[in-house]
Amino acid sequence: MTQLTGNQWIDHFLGTDPPRSKSLVMTMLGDAIAPHGTRLWLGSLIELVAPMGATERLVRTSVFRLAQEGWLVANREGRRSSYALQEAARPRFERANRRIYAPPGLDWDGSWTLLLAPNGSITAELRAAVRKELEWEGFAMLAPGLLVHPAFDGDSLAEILTRVDGEGRIFVCNANELPGVGARPLGELVREGWDLSGVMASYRRFIDDFTPLLTLLQAGKSPAPQAAFVMRSLLIHAYRRVQLHDPMLPLDLLPQPWPGSEAYALAQAIYRQVWAPAEEHLMQVLRREDAGAPDADAAFYARFGGLR
């Protein structure tokens, strides 16, 4: 693998693990489009994802479904269509970006976030909605009506509860270990609530898949703009896919060495190698449909600890 060219690596990756179109479009919206404003012309999106195996029909179907699910809103100008993020979906994109581009689990004060909904206190529909949203965010259900996570962001939790109409209807508190009572260490809850074996295996596969790409990039010249954009997109797509199943627990509570730390360092190194030529290709495509498409915002350049 290490003797392949960058384009051969791309062909090999797409041949063994081709991305699903709808998921790829979500990756594209978060990684490439969001830093450049809220609107994306459909023609630009079709051109951007074509080298990754997504046909025009699949792209159209994907954005239609994402609009139906409340992620996107469609607009038409003559015969052209554009899409923008639904305002209500923006907090979820922002949380995903924090997970992807920031170092994992470095700071933890030892406290745990608990949500309690005793039997009969909320409807079955609300209970199911809360469980679905919070398990997606990495919470574990330790018992009926009891969800727990260490170090979860309070603002994000408030947004989730508001979105599912659970504000003021569920008990939420912070818990710390009580010393001197002979209790089990709270850290042992990790073994009770989370099965991390699948996440660890996925991180190791990511490392195996993308280490050869970093070797190629470090050994050769900078890739052509379109190839760099494909590499960056496949990198974030694969990394994001692993992170969706990672409960993002503090490093203090995780098995060591934690492969997620190595995976982050690998993603950081590759992203820093390809972001500049990738942006060149992205802006060429965006400005063919919209001459006023803005440059990336300041948050883009803060990714992975700083790109400049």
Side-chain angles (χ1 to χ4, degrees), residues 101-134:
Y101 305 111
L106 296 180
D107 300 315
W108 183 50
D109 64 2
S111 65
W112 292 67
T113 299
L114 277 66
L115 280 82
L116 301 96
N119 286 335
S121 62
I122 58 175
T123 65
E125 291 78 11
L126 177 56
R127 186 184 300 272
V130 170
R131 179 178 177 179
K132 177 182 177 182
E133 289 289 334
L134 293 185

PDB file of all heavy atoms in Angstrom, residues 101-134:
ATOM      1  N   TYR A 101     -13.136  17.868  15.465  1.00  0.00           N
ATOM      2  CA  TYR A 101     -11.922  18.663  15.261  1.00  0.00           C
ATOM      3  C   TYR A 101     -11.202  19.032  16.555  1.00  0.00           C
ATOM      4  O   TYR A 101     -10.119  19.611  16.499  1.00  0.00           O
ATOM      5  CB  TYR A 101     -12.261  19.938  14.474  1.00  0.00           C
ATOM      6  CG  TYR A 101     -12.957  19.661  13.175  1.00  0.00           C
ATOM      7  CD1 TYR A 101     -14.298  19.995  12.980  1.00  0.00           C
ATOM      8  CD2 TYR A 101     -12.284  19.061  12.112  1.00  0.00           C
ATOM      9  CE1 TYR A 101     -14.948  19.732  11.785  1.00  0.00           C
ATOM     10  CE2 TYR A 101     -12.922  18.797  10.913  1.00  0.00           C
ATOM     11  CZ  TYR A 101     -14.265  19.132  10.760  1.00  0.00           C
ATOM     12  OH  TYR A 101     -14.895  18.866   9.570  1.00  0.00           O
ATOM     13  N   ALA A 102     -11.792  18.715  17.710  1.00  0.00           N
ATOM     14  CA  ALA A 102     -11.159  19.058  18.983  1.00  0.00           C
ATOM     15  C   ALA A 102     -10.546  17.813  19.614  1.00  0.00           C
ATOM     16  O   ALA A 102     -11.054  16.709  19.425  1.00  0.00           O
ATOM     17  CB  ALA A 102     -12.181  19.679  19.933  1.00  0.00           C
ATOM     18  N   PRO A 103      -9.457  17.952  20.370  1.00  0.00           N
ATOM     19  CA  PRO A 103      -8.844  16.789  21.021  1.00  0.00           C
ATOM     20  C   PRO A 103      -9.845  16.088  21.927  1.00  0.00           C
ATOM     21  O   PRO A 103     -10.644  16.732  22.607  1.00  0.00           O
ATOM     22  CB  PRO A 103      -7.696  17.399  21.827  1.00  0.00           C
ATOM     23  CG  PRO A 103      -7.399  18.699  21.165  1.00  0.00           C
ATOM     24  CD  PRO A 103      -8.708  19.196  20.634  1.00  0.00           C
ATOM     25  N   PRO A 104      -9.836  14.765  21.966  1.00  0.00           N
ATOM     26  CA  PRO A 104     -10.854  14.028  22.726  1.00  0.00           C
ATOM     27  C   PRO A 104     -10.559  13.944  24.211  1.00  0.00           C
ATOM     28  O   PRO A 104      -9.456  13.617  24.633  1.00  0.00           O
ATOM     29  CB  PRO A 104     -10.789  12.621  22.098  1.00  0.00           C
ATOM     30  CG  PRO A 104      -9.380  12.498  21.604  1.00  0.00           C
ATOM     31  CD  PRO A 104      -8.963  13.878  21.176  1.00  0.00           C
ATOM     32  N   GLY A 105     -11.572  14.291  25.010  1.00  0.00           N
ATOM     33  CA  GLY A 105     -11.636  13.949  26.421  1.00  0.00           C
ATOM     34  C   GLY A 105     -10.485  14.332  27.319  1.00  0.00           C
ATOM     35  O   GLY A 105     -10.128  13.576  28.211  1.00  0.00           O
ATOM     36  N   LEU A 106      -9.884  15.512  27.118  1.00  0.00           N
ATOM     37  CA  LEU A 106      -8.689  15.835  27.895  1.00  0.00           C
ATOM     38  C   LEU A 106      -9.007  16.372  29.283  1.00  0.00           C
ATOM     39  O   LEU A 106      -8.268  16.135  30.230  1.00  0.00           O
ATOM     40  CB  LEU A 106      -7.838  16.853  27.128  1.00  0.00           C
ATOM     41  CG  LEU A 106      -7.253  16.367  25.794  1.00  0.00           C
ATOM     42  CD1 LEU A 106      -6.448  17.488  25.154  1.00  0.00           C
ATOM     43  CD2 LEU A 106      -6.381  15.144  26.008  1.00  0.00           C
ATOM     44  N   ASP A 107     -10.091  17.122  29.424  1.00  0.00           N
ATOM     45  CA  ASP A 107     -10.396  17.787  30.697  1.00  0.00           C
ATOM     46  C   ASP A 107     -11.665  17.195  31.304  1.00  0.00           C
ATOM     47  O   ASP A 107     -12.704  17.125  30.651  1.00  0.00           O
ATOM     48  CB  ASP A 107     -10.585  19.296  30.479  1.00  0.00           C
ATOM     49  CG  ASP A 107      -9.327  19.947  29.910  1.00  0.00           C
ATOM     50  OD1 ASP A 107      -8.243  19.643  30.429  1.00  0.00           O
ATOM     51  OD2 ASP A 107      -9.450  20.738  28.964  1.00  0.00           O
ATOM     52  N   TRP A 108     -11.567  16.792  32.579  1.00  0.00           N
ATOM     53  CA  TRP A 108     -12.728  16.246  33.275  1.00  0.00           C
ATOM     54  C   TRP A 108     -12.588  16.548  34.754  1.00  0.00           C
ATOM     55  O   TRP A 108     -11.517  16.340  35.346  1.00  0.00           O
ATOM     56  CB  TRP A 108     -12.822  14.732  33.036  1.00  0.00           C
ATOM     57  CG  TRP A 108     -14.019  14.092  33.653  1.00  0.00           C
ATOM     58  CD1 TRP A 108     -15.316  14.494  33.546  1.00  0.00           C
ATOM     59  CD2 TRP A 108     -14.028  12.926  34.482  1.00  0.00           C
ATOM     60  NE1 TRP A 108     -16.138  13.657  34.245  1.00  0.00           N
ATOM     61  CE2 TRP A 108     -15.374  12.676  34.824  1.00  0.00           C
ATOM     62  CE3 TRP A 108     -13.042  12.064  34.948  1.00  0.00           C
ATOM     63  CZ2 TRP A 108     -15.753  11.613  35.625  1.00  0.00           C
ATOM     64  CZ3 TRP A 108     -13.410  11.001  35.749  1.00  0.00           C
ATOM     65  CH2 TRP A 108     -14.752  10.770  36.077  1.00  0.00           C
ATOM     66  N   ASP A 109     -13.672  17.040  35.363  1.00  0.00           N
ATOM     67  CA  ASP A 109     -13.610  17.421  36.779  1.00  0.00           C
ATOM     68  C   ASP A 109     -14.117  16.323  37.708  1.00  0.00           C
ATOM     69  O   ASP A 109     -14.247  16.534  38.913  1.00  0.00           O
ATOM     70  CB  ASP A 109     -14.402  18.703  37.012  1.00  0.00           C
ATOM     71  CG  ASP A 109     -15.897  18.538  36.720  1.00  0.00           C
ATOM     72  OD1 ASP A 109     -16.321  17.411  36.371  1.00  0.00           O
ATOM     73  OD2 ASP A 109     -16.634  19.540  36.832  1.00  0.00           O
ATOM     74  N   GLY A 110     -14.407  15.129  37.164  1.00  0.00           N
ATOM     75  CA  GLY A 110     -14.857  14.014  37.988  1.00  0.00           C
ATOM     76  C   GLY A 110     -16.353  13.927  38.193  1.00  0.00           C
ATOM     77  O   GLY A 110     -16.831  12.995  38.847  1.00  0.00           O
ATOM     78  N   SER A 111     -17.118  14.873  37.649  1.00  0.00           N
ATOM     79  CA  SER A 111     -18.569  14.860  37.858  1.00  0.00           C
ATOM     80  C   SER A 111     -19.276  14.104  36.733  1.00  0.00           C
ATOM     81  O   SER A 111     -18.770  13.999  35.615  1.00  0.00           O
ATOM     82  CB  SER A 111     -19.114  16.290  37.944  1.00  0.00           C
ATOM     83  OG  SER A 111     -18.954  16.956  36.715  1.00  0.00           O
ATOM     84  N   TRP A 112     -20.452  13.588  37.060  1.00  0.00           N
ATOM     85  CA  TRP A 112     -21.283  12.853  36.107  1.00  0.00           C
ATOM     86  C   TRP A 112     -22.622  13.571  35.959  1.00  0.00           C
ATOM     87  O   TRP A 112     -23.142  14.149  36.918  1.00  0.00           O
ATOM     88  CB  TRP A 112     -21.544  11.431  36.611  1.00  0.00           C
ATOM     89  CG  TRP A 112     -20.322  10.568  36.621  1.00  0.00           C
ATOM     90  CD1 TRP A 112     -19.219  10.713  37.426  1.00  0.00           C
ATOM     91  CD2 TRP A 112     -20.075   9.426  35.807  1.00  0.00           C
ATOM     92  NE1 TRP A 112     -18.311   9.744  37.158  1.00  0.00           N
ATOM     93  CE2 TRP A 112     -18.802   8.923  36.174  1.00  0.00           C
ATOM     94  CE3 TRP A 112     -20.796   8.774  34.816  1.00  0.00           C
ATOM     95  CZ2 TRP A 112     -18.243   7.801  35.566  1.00  0.00           C
ATOM     96  CZ3 TRP A 112     -20.251   7.654  34.215  1.00  0.00           C
ATOM     97  CH2 TRP A 112     -18.980   7.179  34.587  1.00  0.00           C
ATOM     98  N   THR A 113     -23.178  13.533  34.753  1.00  0.00           N
ATOM     99  CA  THR A 113     -24.502  14.094  34.499  1.00  0.00           C
ATOM    100  C   THR A 113     -25.527  12.968  34.528  1.00  0.00           C
ATOM    101  O   THR A 113     -25.375  11.967  33.824  1.00  0.00           O
ATOM    102  CB  THR A 113     -24.543  14.799  33.130  1.00  0.00           C
ATOM    103  OG1 THR A 113     -23.600  15.860  33.129  1.00  0.00           O
ATOM    104  CG2 THR A 113     -25.933  15.351  32.862  1.00  0.00           C
ATOM    105  N   LEU A 114     -26.563  13.137  35.344  1.00  0.00           N
ATOM    106  CA  LEU A 114     -27.629  12.138  35.478  1.00  0.00           C
ATOM    107  C   LEU A 114     -28.957  12.744  35.062  1.00  0.00           C
ATOM    108  O   LEU A 114     -29.295  13.866  35.447  1.00  0.00           O
ATOM    109  CB  LEU A 114     -27.736  11.649  36.924  1.00  0.00           C
ATOM    110  CG  LEU A 114     -26.790  10.547  37.391  1.00  0.00           C
ATOM    111  CD1 LEU A 114     -25.352  11.023  37.400  1.00  0.00           C
ATOM    112  CD2 LEU A 114     -27.212  10.054  38.788  1.00  0.00           C
ATOM    113  N   LEU A 115     -29.711  11.990  34.269  1.00  0.00           N
ATOM    114  CA  LEU A 115     -31.086  12.347  33.934  1.00  0.00           C
ATOM    115  C   LEU A 115     -31.997  11.284  34.513  1.00  0.00           C
ATOM    116  O   LEU A 115     -31.769  10.080  34.299  1.00  0.00           O
ATOM    117  CB  LEU A 115     -31.294  12.421  32.417  1.00  0.00           C
ATOM    118  CG  LEU A 115     -30.825  13.709  31.733  1.00  0.00           C
ATOM    119  CD1 LEU A 115     -29.328  13.657  31.481  1.00  0.00           C
ATOM    120  CD2 LEU A 115     -31.579  13.927  30.429  1.00  0.00           C
ATOM    121  N   LEU A 116     -33.013  11.731  35.238  1.00  0.00           N
ATOM    122  CA  LEU A 116     -33.930  10.807  35.891  1.00  0.00           C
ATOM    123  C   LEU A 116     -35.353  11.105  35.458  1.00  0.00           C
ATOM    124  O   LEU A 116     -35.813  12.256  35.526  1.00  0.00           O
ATOM    125  CB  LEU A 116     -33.822  10.924  37.418  1.00  0.00           C
ATOM    126  CG  LEU A 116     -32.442  10.650  38.022  1.00  0.00           C
ATOM    127  CD1 LEU A 116     -31.699  11.976  38.240  1.00  0.00           C
ATOM    128  CD2 LEU A 116     -32.579   9.908  39.353  1.00  0.00           C
ATOM    129  N   ALA A 117     -36.043  10.070  35.011  1.00  0.00           N
ATOM    130  CA  ALA A 117     -37.451  10.186  34.636  1.00  0.00           C
ATOM    131  C   ALA A 117     -38.181   8.979  35.213  1.00  0.00           C
ATOM    132  O   ALA A 117     -38.296   7.934  34.562  1.00  0.00           O
ATOM    133  CB  ALA A 117     -37.604  10.241  33.115  1.00  0.00           C
ATOM    134  N   PRO A 118     -38.634   9.059  36.467  1.00  0.00           N
ATOM    135  CA  PRO A 118     -39.308   7.916  37.095  1.00  0.00           C
ATOM    136  C   PRO A 118     -40.529   7.473  36.302  1.00  0.00           C
ATOM    137  O   PRO A 118     -41.129   8.244  35.538  1.00  0.00           O
ATOM    138  CB  PRO A 118     -39.707   8.459  38.474  1.00  0.00           C
ATOM    139  CG  PRO A 118     -38.801   9.633  38.706  1.00  0.00           C
ATOM    140  CD  PRO A 118     -38.544  10.215  37.354  1.00  0.00           C
ATOM    141  N   ASN A 119     -40.903   6.209  36.487  1.00  0.00           N
ATOM    142  CA  ASN A 119     -42.070   5.673  35.789  1.00  0.00           C
ATOM    143  C   ASN A 119     -43.292   6.553  36.035  1.00  0.00           C
ATOM    144  O   ASN A 119     -43.580   6.916  37.177  1.00  0.00           O
ATOM    145  CB  ASN A 119     -42.370   4.247  36.267  1.00  0.00           C
ATOM    146  CG  ASN A 119     -41.376   3.250  35.717  1.00  0.00           C
ATOM    147  OD1 ASN A 119     -40.770   3.479  34.669  1.00  0.00           O
ATOM    148  ND2 ASN A 119     -41.199   2.131  36.406  1.00  0.00           N
ATOM    149  N   GLY A 120     -43.983   6.885  34.957  1.00  0.00           N
ATOM    150  CA  GLY A 120     -45.186   7.691  35.055  1.00  0.00           C
ATOM    151  C   GLY A 120     -44.957   9.180  35.060  1.00  0.00           C
ATOM    152  O   GLY A 120     -45.920   9.952  34.993  1.00  0.00           O
ATOM    153  N   SER A 121     -43.682   9.621  35.117  1.00  0.00           N
ATOM    154  CA  SER A 121     -43.414  11.060  35.199  1.00  0.00           C
ATOM    155  C   SER A 121     -43.452  11.739  33.839  1.00  0.00           C
ATOM    156  O   SER A 121     -43.665  12.953  33.755  1.00  0.00           O
ATOM    157  CB  SER A 121     -42.060  11.314  35.864  1.00  0.00           C
ATOM    158  OG  SER A 121     -41.010  10.752  35.088  1.00  0.00           O
ATOM    159  N   ILE A 122     -43.215  10.991  32.770  1.00  0.00           N
ATOM    160  CA  ILE A 122     -43.277  11.530  31.414  1.00  0.00           C
ATOM    161  C   ILE A 122     -43.970  10.506  30.522  1.00  0.00           C
ATOM    162  O   ILE A 122     -44.112   9.337  30.891  1.00  0.00           O
ATOM    163  CB  ILE A 122     -41.875  11.861  30.843  1.00  0.00           C
ATOM    164  CG1 ILE A 122     -40.994  10.608  30.835  1.00  0.00           C
ATOM    165  CG2 ILE A 122     -41.232  12.981  31.633  1.00  0.00           C
ATOM    166  CD1 ILE A 122     -39.636  10.832  30.168  1.00  0.00           C
ATOM    167  N   THR A 123     -44.360  10.933  29.347  1.00  0.00           N
ATOM    168  CA  THR A 123     -45.030  10.024  28.424  1.00  0.00           C
ATOM    169  C   THR A 123     -44.021   9.052  27.809  1.00  0.00           C
ATOM    170  O   THR A 123     -42.810   9.302  27.779  1.00  0.00           O
ATOM    171  CB  THR A 123     -45.711  10.795  27.292  1.00  0.00           C
ATOM    172  OG1 THR A 123     -44.698  11.451  26.507  1.00  0.00           O
ATOM    173  CG2 THR A 123     -46.682  11.830  27.842  1.00  0.00           C
ATOM    174  N   ALA A 124     -44.553   7.953  27.302  1.00  0.00           N
ATOM    175  CA  ALA A 124     -43.693   6.968  26.636  1.00  0.00           C
ATOM    176  C   ALA A 124     -43.018   7.580  25.417  1.00  0.00           C
ATOM    177  O   ALA A 124     -41.857   7.263  25.110  1.00  0.00           O
ATOM    178  CB  ALA A 124     -44.519   5.751  26.238  1.00  0.00           C
ATOM    179  N   GLU A 125     -43.743   8.471  24.721  1.00  0.00           N
ATOM    180  CA  GLU A 125     -43.177   9.100  23.528  1.00  0.00           C
ATOM    181  C   GLU A 125     -41.985   9.979  23.884  1.00  0.00           C
ATOM    182  O   GLU A 125     -40.945   9.940  23.222  1.00  0.00           O
ATOM    183  CB  GLU A 125     -44.241   9.925  22.801  1.00  0.00           C
ATOM    184  CG  GLU A 125     -45.344   9.117  22.134  1.00  0.00           C
ATOM    185  CD  GLU A 125     -46.390   8.627  23.136  1.00  0.00           C
ATOM    186  OE1 GLU A 125     -46.379   9.089  24.300  1.00  0.00           O
ATOM    187  OE2 GLU A 125     -47.215   7.775  22.748  1.00  0.00           O
ATOM    188  N   LEU A 126     -42.111  10.778  24.941  1.00  0.00           N
ATOM    189  CA  LEU A 126     -41.005  11.634  25.360  1.00  0.00           C
ATOM    190  C   LEU A 126     -39.839  10.788  25.873  1.00  0.00           C
ATOM    191  O   LEU A 126     -38.681  11.074  25.591  1.00  0.00           O
ATOM    192  CB  LEU A 126     -41.459  12.607  26.439  1.00  0.00           C
ATOM    193  CG  LEU A 126     -40.373  13.519  27.009  1.00  0.00           C
ATOM    194  CD1 LEU A 126     -39.687  14.327  25.911  1.00  0.00           C
ATOM    195  CD2 LEU A 126     -40.950  14.444  28.081  1.00  0.00           C
ATOM    196  N   ARG A 127     -40.151   9.735  26.629  1.00  0.00           N
ATOM    197  CA  ARG A 127     -39.089   8.861  27.134  1.00  0.00           C
ATOM    198  C   ARG A 127     -38.278   8.276  25.975  1.00  0.00           C
ATOM    199  O   ARG A 127     -37.047   8.243  26.012  1.00  0.00           O
ATOM    200  CB  ARG A 127     -39.696   7.740  27.979  1.00  0.00           C
ATOM    201  CG  ARG A 127     -38.643   6.862  28.672  1.00  0.00           C
ATOM    202  CD  ARG A 127     -39.340   5.709  29.399  1.00  0.00           C
ATOM    203  NE  ARG A 127     -40.258   6.202  30.404  1.00  0.00           N
ATOM    204  CZ  ARG A 127     -39.907   6.476  31.652  1.00  0.00           C
ATOM    205  NH1 ARG A 127     -38.656   6.320  32.040  1.00  0.00           N
ATOM    206  NH2 ARG A 127     -40.795   6.911  32.507  1.00  0.00           N
ATOM    207  N   ALA A 128     -38.969   7.824  24.937  1.00  0.00           N
ATOM    208  CA  ALA A 128     -38.279   7.242  23.783  1.00  0.00           C
ATOM    209  C   ALA A 128     -37.455   8.291  23.045  1.00  0.00           C
ATOM    210  O   ALA A 128     -36.333   8.020  22.606  1.00  0.00           O
ATOM    211  CB  ALA A 128     -39.296   6.605  22.837  1.00  0.00           C
ATOM    212  N   ALA A 129     -37.995   9.502  22.908  1.00  0.00           N
ATOM    213  CA  ALA A 129     -37.271  10.563  22.207  1.00  0.00           C
ATOM    214  C   ALA A 129     -36.011  10.977  22.965  1.00  0.00           C
ATOM    215  O   ALA A 129     -34.943  11.159  22.363  1.00  0.00           O
ATOM    216  CB  ALA A 129     -38.188  11.765  21.995  1.00  0.00           C
ATOM    217  N   VAL A 130     -36.137  11.113  24.278  1.00  0.00           N
ATOM    218  CA  VAL A 130     -34.979  11.492  25.091  1.00  0.00           C
ATOM    219  C   VAL A 130     -33.912  10.408  25.019  1.00  0.00           C
ATOM    220  O   VAL A 130     -32.716  10.687  24.847  1.00  0.00           O
ATOM    221  CB  VAL A 130     -35.399  11.745  26.549  1.00  0.00           C
ATOM    222  CG1 VAL A 130     -34.181  11.885  27.447  1.00  0.00           C
ATOM    223  CG2 VAL A 130     -36.264  12.999  26.637  1.00  0.00           C
ATOM    224  N   ARG A 131     -34.339   9.157  25.157  1.00  0.00           N
ATOM    225  CA  ARG A 131     -33.366   8.060  25.106  1.00  0.00           C
ATOM    226  C   ARG A 131     -32.656   8.016  23.759  1.00  0.00           C
ATOM    227  O   ARG A 131     -31.431   7.872  23.695  1.00  0.00           O
ATOM    228  CB  ARG A 131     -34.067   6.731  25.377  1.00  0.00           C
ATOM    229  CG  ARG A 131     -33.108   5.548  25.302  1.00  0.00           C
ATOM    230  CD  ARG A 131     -33.798   4.235  25.618  1.00  0.00           C
ATOM    231  NE  ARG A 131     -32.854   3.137  25.474  1.00  0.00           N
ATOM    232  CZ  ARG A 131     -33.153   1.857  25.695  1.00  0.00           C
ATOM    233  NH1 ARG A 131     -34.379   1.525  26.095  1.00  0.00           N
ATOM    234  NH2 ARG A 131     -32.242   0.921  25.538  1.00  0.00           N
ATOM    235  N   LYS A 132     -33.395   8.166  22.670  1.00  0.00           N
ATOM    236  CA  LYS A 132     -32.785   8.125  21.341  1.00  0.00           C
ATOM    237  C   LYS A 132     -31.759   9.237  21.176  1.00  0.00           C
ATOM    238  O   LYS A 132     -30.631   9.000  20.710  1.00  0.00           O
ATOM    239  CB  LYS A 132     -33.878   8.253  20.274  1.00  0.00           C
ATOM    240  CG  LYS A 132     -33.342   8.293  18.843  1.00  0.00           C
ATOM    241  CD  LYS A 132     -34.466   8.464  17.835  1.00  0.00           C
ATOM    242  CE  LYS A 132     -33.919   8.568  16.420  1.00  0.00           C
ATOM    243  NZ  LYS A 132     -35.012   8.777  15.423  1.00  0.00           N
ATOM    244  N   GLU A 133     -32.119  10.454  21.539  1.00  0.00           N
ATOM    245  CA  GLU A 133     -31.216  11.587  21.360  1.00  0.00           C
ATOM    246  C   GLU A 133     -29.971  11.452  22.234  1.00  0.00           C
ATOM    247  O   GLU A 133     -28.851  11.702  21.777  1.00  0.00           O
ATOM    248  CB  GLU A 133     -31.945  12.893  21.685  1.00  0.00           C
ATOM    249  CG  GLU A 133     -32.986  13.302  20.675  1.00  0.00           C
ATOM    250  CD  GLU A 133     -32.381  13.763  19.362  1.00  0.00           C
ATOM    251  OE1 GLU A 133     -31.228  14.238  19.377  1.00  0.00           O
ATOM    252  OE2 GLU A 133     -33.060  13.648  18.328  1.00  0.00           O
ATOM    253  N   LEU A 134     -30.151  11.056  23.481  1.00  0.00           N
ATOM    254  CA  LEU A 134     -29.020  11.040  24.397  1.00  0.00           C
ATOM    255  C   LEU A 134     -28.125   9.827  24.185  1.00  0.00           C
ATOM    256  O   LEU A 134     -26.904   9.916  24.381  1.00  0.00           O
ATOM    257  CB  LEU A 134     -29.509  11.118  25.837  1.00  0.00           C
ATOM    258  CG  LEU A 134     -30.157  12.453  26.204  1.00  0.00           C
ATOM    259  CD1 LEU A 134     -30.511  12.489  27.680  1.00  0.00           C
ATOM    260  CD2 LEU A 134     -29.259  13.635  25.856  1.00  0.00           C
TER     261      LEU A 134
END
